[in-house]
Amino acid sequence: MKILSTTQTREADAYTIAHEPILSIDLMERASRTFTSWFVKKFPKSTFEMVSVICGKGNNGGDGLAIARLLEERGYDVAVFILNLTDNETEDFKTNLERVRQLQDLNKVVIKEVSSVEEMPVFGGDEILIDAMLGSGLNRPITGALADILHFLNECENTVVAVDVPTGVFTDMPTVGACIEADYTFAFEFPKLAFLFPENFHYVGDFVCASIGLDQKYIASVDSPYYYITSDIVKRIYKRRDKFAHKGVFGHALLIMGSYGKMGAAILATRACLRAGVGLVTVHVPICGYEVMQTAVPEAMVSLDEDRFIFTKVYDLPKYSTIAIGCGLSTKNRTRNALCYMLKHLNRPTVLDADALNILGQSPDWFEYIPKGSILTPHPKEFERMFGKVYDNFERNELQRRKAQEFGVYIILKGANTCVATPEGVCYFNSTGNPGMGTAGSGDVLTGILAGLLSQEYDPLEACILGVYIHGLAGDIAAEVESEESLTAGDLVNYLGKAFLKLRKL
Ligand SMILES: NC(=O)C1=CN([C@@H]2O[C@H](COP(=O)(O)OP(=O)(O)OC[C@H]3O[C@@H](n4cnc5c(N)ncnc54)[C@H](O)[C@@H]3O)[C@@H](O)[C@H]2O)[C@H](O)CC1
Ligand SMILES: [K+]
């Protein structure tokens, strides 16, 4: 799913109004109905006492008024609070206010105007609050009376659901100023870029998005470097196996991993590579890893280093279809030199993780040796070691895109909403995964999956998208059974099979 900027969304909005054609008030009604359909399922009216909708006077407030009316129609007890902090009212806000006033005249809805925090009501514990104060029209940081009201609301214990954008959050740049802290955000048509960055989680909460029927052809024609990885992208990538296939057609991966005290990383990656469907896997380990590898992963072949404890040399590189290097590798001098030699002599996309990235961070001149189309999988700390400190995630994302373009590689920045940046400067944000996956070895599993997919002749972009999605999906299935707290990297490997089954049914 493409992610549009606020300006582009406004253009898509205007295009839809002109070409569908549809009146803007009817588009607002359609958006509000979409919100309401989700809301009634998520918060059945038996589960709390009342809905209070807090509205600004722009179109976000207009949505709020329409939602208040639609919820009343569905039998909810609704109160509307209109923030009287400006005289600027949009036309669609005014029309919807008229419509709600008719309900007020019938004693079906309560409407109250609020000009300062002192006039805010005391909400009951069972009330749910809908934030329709400001949406994508935010054009300056929130201060003054509105900031006081937001602070007051954030102090309340009530569940807050934001319409389109949590009030105060800038969608396309870092947020400054006061913000509502929503528990849920229902975004129209696309998630906003800011929702995907961890610093905004506090304001956005869990987000969902749904189409409000903006013109899809127009959206397809808009140039945006940002995508959200949804099941339909993944469905198009995933290849079912041919009935007559045998292990020879699923490739032979070489994983160069592990050092004394860090063999677990190699084991996890090797198991994940197998579970991702590789035909054959050879794992290259120092002598100390021989027995443990043979015992822990009997399906893998082992190539032994000359050194007892670390990686120093590997032969026969051309015979493997894919190579992945780095998990638990160490950054000792001889390992560094061996990595440099390998990079200079490899000519196909390679997966680089963990210590391979730390080594590159120490020797930035070596970046140019990385084969084009390779996949680098840093977590934020490794990213910082390679490319330096940044101020916020918008800046980090810019840097990630620039570096991917500069070196002609795919950079997968791991975290909530893991982001894949391509050599073309395009970003794909993952939609699967959960906080339980922030656990030792989780990244090793991803590296194994990526090597497994590359071996099966998914191209690097396909492997990145499918890889991060299935890794997160395995995590989501595992968390449902094991809990986020107890989830281990080994569980990710064990639930990979269930994740593939789910993928097949998408
Ligand atoms: N995406 C769509 O296609 C649709 C979106 N809808 C909804 O419309 C809002 C955007 O509405 P808009 O009127 O442009 O903006 P807002 O309601 O967010 O507010 C505008 C209002 O607020 C003033 N303002 C801006 N910053 C501040 C500030 N810091 N403090 C105080 N006031 C501020 C600004 O000057 C304006 O007067 C979108 O989010 C959706 O909810 C449609 O309903 C359906 C189609
Ligand atoms: K809002």
Side-chain angles (χ1 to χ4, degrees), residues 9-10 13 27-28 31 58-61 63 88 90 133-143 146 163-165 188 212 214:
T9 305
R10 216 167 279 144
D13 203 12
L27 182 58
M28 182 177 277
N59 285 339
N60 196 250
D63 293 337
N88 294 335
T90 61
M133 292 174 274
L134 294 179
S136 57
L138 183 78
N139 54 22
R140 58 191 184 275
I142 293 178
T143 54
L146 182 52
V163 178
D164 198 29
V165 182
F188 294 147
I212 59 166
L214 296 187

